[in-house]
Amino acid sequence: MNINKFHIATFIVFIQFLNSASAQSTYQFGLLPSINLNYKLENDWSLISKIESRQLLQSGEFNGSTESQYNYILTDISMITAKKVGLNSRVAGGYLIRLREEKLFHRFIQQYTVVQRLSALRLVHRFSTDQTFSKEEKPEFRLRYRIASEIPLNGESVDPQEFYFKFNNEYLNSWQDSDYDLEIRLVPLLGYNLKNNDKIEVGMGYRVNSFLDNTTRHSFWTSINWFLEI
């Protein structure tokens, strides 16, 4: 995908947001902090662990009622093993456990990532599938594609003690029993490279789903991400 197509796709998503927001739809606003640890191993292997929590601060309907109240929603703990298989590509697989309302969800993850290096930025394409199981709900199967761009704000590369801009755009297909849904995610982030193996990113992410059956749900999450490589 070239840069022009990337911006066109983003524009289409934004138009969809404007159209759906004017109809009857709900929204959520909250926090999404995470800690990401990357362990480099021998022979181009790496181990990636992550803990992320979701906390709701406000919810309601557009042009309707609003409720402002703190509510802890869930915590995700994941462990993924990755192997570099080419100059700019890697495969990965792992496991995630979700804790939500005293319920346990088990998710198995498979990923393939390709890095495309351009003159002004770096594009990362990620193709992934996952399967989620629990005692309380039917299995959920998802197919995902994410494109992420990273743009240094000083020079041509992100060096220590420099800022950078990152933009994630993801399309997430979900099947659960006979139900299908498409979720679109847009996440602009401002990052700071404290040192080579230590980064912090902050941004406001937007998610929209259920618009295929005219019951659109919007979510706005303030992401605070810490990345550490060991």
Side-chain angles (χ1 to χ4, degrees), residues 67-203:
E67 180 181 356
S68 298
Q69 183 179 358
Y70 174 82
N71 184 24
Y72 163 80
I73 298 179
L74 58 84
T75 295
D76 287 338
I77 303 173
S78 63
M79 185 74 70
I80 294 176
T81 302
K83 166 70 172 177
K84 189 174 182 180
V85 294
L87 183 61
N88 296 310
S89 61
R90 66 179 60 236
V91 294
Y95 168 74
L96 178 148
I97 185 168
R98 169 168 290 180
L99 311 174
R100 187 181 72 189
E101 297 177 351
E102 300 182 353
K103 300 176 183 178
L104 287 179
F105 297 81
H106 305 273
R107 177 174 297 166
F108 300 92
I109 304 167
Q110 306 83 38
Q111 295 179 353
Y112 176 69
T113 305
V114 179
V115 178
Q116 182 181 5
R117 301 183 186 276
L118 305 177
S119 57
L121 53 81
R122 185 182 72 158
L123 292 179
V124 180
H125 306 270
R126 189 183 75 182
F127 306 86
S128 63
T129 58
D130 61 59
Q131 308 81 37
T132 303
F133 304 93
S134 69
K135 294 181 179 180
E136 293 79 9
E137 298 182 9
K138 295 182 178 180
E140 180 183 14
F141 303 90
R142 303 192 302 178
L143 175 64
R144 310 169 63 167
Y145 167 70
R146 189 188 74 178
I147 179 171
S149 63
E150 184 178 290
I151 305 173
L153 299 183
N154 303 94
E156 297 183 355
S157 61
V158 180
D159 298 316
Q161 299 183 0
E162 288 186 352
F163 287 95
Y164 60 93
F165 177 76
K166 181 185 286 186
F167 187 82
N168 297 331
N169 183 199
E170 185 171 18
Y171 301 85
L172 196 156
N173 302 272
S174 172
W175 293 267
Q176 190 170 28
D177 197 17
S178 59
D179 296 328
Y180 168 76
D181 193 18
L182 171 64
E183 179 173 295
I184 301 175
R185 300 179 179 181
L186 301 173
V187 188
L189 296 158
L190 178 64
Y192 183 70
N193 187 4
L194 297 169
K195 53 185 180 180
N196 286 332
N197 302 323
D198 197 349
K199 297 180 180 180
I200 295 178
E201 297 176 352
V202 179

